[in-house]
Amino acid sequence: MSKTALVVSAHSADFVWRCGGAIALHQTQGYDVTVVCLSYGERGESAKLWKQEGMTLGKVKAERQREAENAAKALDAHDIRFFDVGDYPLDLGRETQERMVDVIRKVQPAFMMSHSKWDPYNTDHMYTTDFTLTCRMIAQAWGHKPGEKVLGAPQLYLFEPHQTEQMEWKPDTILDITDVWEKKWAAIQCMQGQEHLWHFYKNVAENRANHFRRNSGGQAGGRAAQYAEAFQSVFPRTVDTL
Ligand SMILES: [Zn+2]
């Protein structure tokens, strides 16, 4: 089994709130986790920067890249790449698709992560998931760039969106990230442009830990997780034992 994973993040901060713990945890387990940020969230998720005098698109992008690189470092992520395809909306045309398929084939992830399938507040997020599924499919096609190593069947985990209940997102997997919480918290604090979200996502992690405790046995031996992240998986699991 390949010990690699691939995160596809619409904007440069999404991977931090939604799966920073999963990234840090799998790095400690010997995985190489690659993060692709399709954009910097330069237009749509950088309001605090735009409120500053004399701000330009170039300055916002540079600042958001710096923050994301620092966050990736805090999580010990193996690699972070910036596609810079613009945001609000993302340009997910043929060229971006080719680039993404090349990355998927090169990384050969054991699992992938992206956004919820539905997000009426932020269509960049849901189109990213649709795009990720399309690229996964192309990477599995024997007729696409014959001779390259074809992709197997990595699970796609959909990470937790903002305003969960509006997104038709229902978790079926809860990951205990207690051991790496300090790394995630450090990464969150790299996101200076979105300070209003820091405590919201700490709170989400604490609440998901409550669900971890309940679903791992509750009062009858549940594990005492303090922080957790939840995910919805897209594909069935293939098992020998239930
Ligand atoms: Zn986003």
Side-chain angles (χ1 to χ4, degrees):
M1 179 181 120
S2 140
K3 298 270 270 183
T4 55
L6 179 63
V7 177
V8 186
S9 182
H11 312 109
S12 64
D14 290 316
F15 72 94
V16 178
W17 323 114
R18 316 194 188 292
C19 65
I23 293 169
L25 185 66
H26 284 83
Q27 284 292 148
T28 69
Q29 294 173 355
Y31 282 73
D32 283 337
V33 184
T34 297
V35 179
V36 171
C37 296
L38 295 173
S39 76
Y40 300 102
E42 63 269 23
R43 298 202 305 169
E45 297 185 2
S46 304
K48 191 177 165 191
L49 289 169
W50 283 113
K51 286 175 187 172
Q52 293 173 19
E53 200 80 19
M55 196 46 70
T56 65
L57 195 64
K59 283 186 197 172
V60 173
K61 281 160 73 165
E63 179 59 18
R64 298 297 277 164
Q65 178 167 349
R66 193 185 61 78
E67 287 179 357
E69 283 171 344
N70 286 339
K73 204 173 292 176
L75 299 170
D76 296 323
H78 170 70
D79 190 14
I80 181 162
R81 301 179 190 204
F82 300 93
F83 274 24
D84 192 15
V85 302
D87 72 327
Y88 287 60
L90 300 167
D91 177 356
L92 299 174
R94 279 270 170 180
E95 196 194 329
T96 313
Q97 191 176 286
E98 287 282 321
R99 290 169 71 191
M100 193 70 232
V101 174
D102 286 347
V103 171
I104 294 173
R105 282 232 171 137
K106 187 157 187 301
V107 172
Q108 293 286 328
F111 66 88
M112 300 170 68
M113 310 191 105
S114 199
H115 296 260
S116 55
K117 277 191 273 194
W118 173 243
D119 188 340
Y121 296 90
N122 195 322
T123 57
D124 280 2
H125 292 162
M126 65 185 200
Y127 293 147
T128 292
T129 307
D130 191 59
F131 167 79
T132 300
L133 284 167
T134 300
C135 293
R136 180 185 180 277
M137 175 191 77
I138 297 167
Q140 290 176 321
W142 283 78
H144 176 79
K145 295 189 180 172
E148 278 189 7
K149 189 175 181 207
V150 170
L151 181 71
Q155 181 60 266
L156 178 64
Y157 290 104
L158 309 181
F159 43 59
E160 183 155 3
H162 205 68
Q163 304 193 79
T164 308
E165 294 81 359
Q166 310 301 321
M167 308 297 189
E168 297 176 12
W169 176 90
K170 190 174 171 184
D172 56 26
T173 307
I174 306 175
L175 184 69
D176 181 359
I177 61 162
T178 308
D179 288 348
V180 293
W181 171 254
E182 290 307 321
K183 290 181 185 179
K184 178 165 181 176
W185 186 237
I188 283 176
Q189 289 173 299
C190 293
M191 295 300 154
Q192 292 289 331
Q194 291 168 294
E195 202 178 336
H196 60 291
L197 294 176
W198 293 5
H199 282 90
F200 177 85
Y201 280 104
K202 182 171 191 242
N203 185 243
V204 169
E206 287 167 343
N207 286 335
R208 289 303 176 196
N210 181 290
H211 298 164
F212 187 103
R213 294 194 292 274
R214 180 70 182 84
N215 286 283
S216 64
Q219 299 298 316
R223 201 202 299 176
Q226 299 299 302
Y227 300 96
E229 285 172 347
F231 305 98
Q232 177 179 343
S233 52
V234 173
F235 301 100
R237 241 161 278 273
T238 50
V239 301
D240 292 310
T241 307
L242 294 175

